Amino acid sequence: MDGGGRGNEDGSASGVSKPEEPEVTVETMIEDVLNIVSRLFVVSNSKNVLQVGLSGLVYVLQEYPMLLPSYVAILLGQSPDLRRRLLDEGGERQRRSYVHGNATNMYEETCLAEVWPHLDIAKTLALQLEAMQLPKLEEEHLEIEEEHLEVLAASLPFFFEDEEADEWLHIFEKVKHHLFNSLVDPQLHVLSAQIIKKFWACGADMLATKSREASRSTFCEALSRLYQQPAVHVEEASMLVFMRELRHFNEDLHAEVDALLDARVS
């Protein structure tokens, strides 16, 4: 009688079953990667690591929109120099080094505005601004920081597509009080003027017309605050330059600015 255990014909031991390994699929691999990203891509992490993440993750935002809220929040939280390097469309792209722990690595920064989904970024930023707003806060006391204007300006496309006009109008309506409050702020005037002009003078006629209609009263209120408290607001000359540029853009804006001035006088 054989004292050893009986084997299978292929020589393997019988009665021993190996646990089945879980099947690795593309979906599970993506889920694992997203879990890693969610642990590393947080506001509290190193600004250098986050700068690398902002440059790399921008390419997948459209495919994985769940990343958008943290992406925009982290971009807003970067130091002005780091953020502007990513938003500067005229800047030269170059490889940069970053130190994390004892390691030094190289990466290439991305011009975000050339890659990201403009509409999705603007929607996310508008929602975050809306969340900052207290329910009963008076409109003239709404505050916006320079970083919000920088990201909003960079989120606007070179041309607005007609089929997206309704969505862009909805975004404009969400941020218009912030924009016109900023228009009379000496630090924020230039950026807010650029954004307002982008909507009011855009080539998508419906968006241009309706954005002007939606913000006439808001513009008048901002002008009133400018002349009521000139010492704490932007210089009148800067506002006049802005309105002159609008007025000379086309006949519609010429009439719009004249109507605003008439309403201000009356």
Side-chain angles (χ1 to χ4, degrees):
M1 181 176 180
D2 186 0
R6 295 181 60 85
N8 295 324
E9 291 181 0
D10 61 0
S12 62
S14 62
V16 179
S17 60
K18 294 182 179 179
E20 292 187 7
E21 294 184 2
E23 182 182 359
V24 178
T25 64
V26 173
E27 289 75 16
T28 58
M29 292 174 65
I30 291 173
E31 185 177 350
D32 289 342
V33 171
L34 290 175
N35 286 334
I36 294 171
V37 169
S38 67
R39 291 197 300 271
L40 296 178
F41 199 58
V42 291
V43 176
S44 59
N45 208 337
S46 159
K47 298 296 184 186
N48 291 328
V49 172
L50 295 178
Q51 192 81 347
V52 179
L54 289 166
S55 291
L57 292 175
V58 67
Y59 294 96
V60 298
L61 291 176
Q62 192 161 17
E63 191 171 358
Y64 301 104
M66 72 286 291
L67 297 173
L68 281 164
S70 59
Y71 189 93
V72 171
I74 286 169
L75 180 59
L76 292 170
Q78 289 293 84
S79 66
D81 288 345
L82 290 175
R83 182 176 59 255
R84 288 166 189 164
R85 280 197 338 225
L86 296 174
L87 298 179
D88 182 9
E89 294 187 64
E92 182 181 351
R93 300 299 111 187
Q94 55 184 292
R95 290 179 62 79
R96 295 183 181 272
S97 62
Y98 76 98
V99 178
H100 184 56
N102 295 323
T104 300
N105 298 286
M106 301 294 294
Y107 75 103
E108 185 170 333
E109 284 189 341
T110 304
C111 177
L112 304 185
E114 294 178 355
V115 180
W116 65 16
H118 294 85
L119 184 59
D120 291 337
I121 293 290
K123 282 181 181 178
T124 304
L125 180 63
L127 288 172
Q128 293 187 1
L129 283 171
E130 193 174 41
M132 291 167 51
Q133 180 180 328
L134 296 177
K136 295 184 180 180
L137 201 60
E138 295 181 7
E139 289 170 0
E140 61 267 27
H141 294 147
L142 293 178
E143 293 184 358
I144 187 171
E145 300 295 339
E146 188 171 20
E147 57 263 29
H148 295 93
L149 287 177
E150 288 177 353
V151 174
L152 180 58
S155 75
L156 304 181
F158 191 74
F159 294 111
F160 289 105
E161 302 290 342
D162 287 333
E163 57 269 24
E164 295 178 347
D166 285 332
E167 293 181 276
W168 281 112
L169 179 62
H170 187 58
I171 290 169
F172 181 79
E173 289 174 338
K174 282 180 178 291
V175 302
K176 65 182 180 182
H177 293 297
H178 295 288
L179 289 176
F180 285 95
N181 286 336
S182 301
L183 188 65
V184 296
D185 184 293
Q187 304 299 321
L188 305 177
H189 171 80
V190 172
L191 265 174
S192 56
Q194 290 173 357
I195 296 169
I196 293 167
K197 194 187 305 179
K198 183 80 174 181
F199 280 95
W200 277 34
C202 72
D205 292 339
M206 186 278 282
L207 177 58
T209 300
K210 291 196 173 182
S211 63
R212 295 196 296 265
E213 292 173 352
S215 54
R216 282 175 188 149
S217 61
T218 312
F219 199 168
C220 286
E221 291 165 7
L223 290 175
S224 296
R225 291 198 297 279
L226 171 63
Y227 289 105
Q228 287 167 5
Q229 295 179 298
V232 297
H233 290 118
V234 70
E235 293 182 359
E236 181 185 24
S238 298
M239 185 65 75
L240 292 176
V241 168
F242 169 63
M243 297 185 76
R244 190 180 301 119
E245 289 175 351
L246 287 176
R247 196 170 183 268
H248 291 166
F249 189 81
N250 60 30
E251 291 183 2
D252 289 341
L253 279 170
H254 191 295
E256 187 71 43
V257 173
D258 284 351
L260 283 168
L261 293 174
D262 290 343
R264 172 79 187 102
V265 172
S266 60

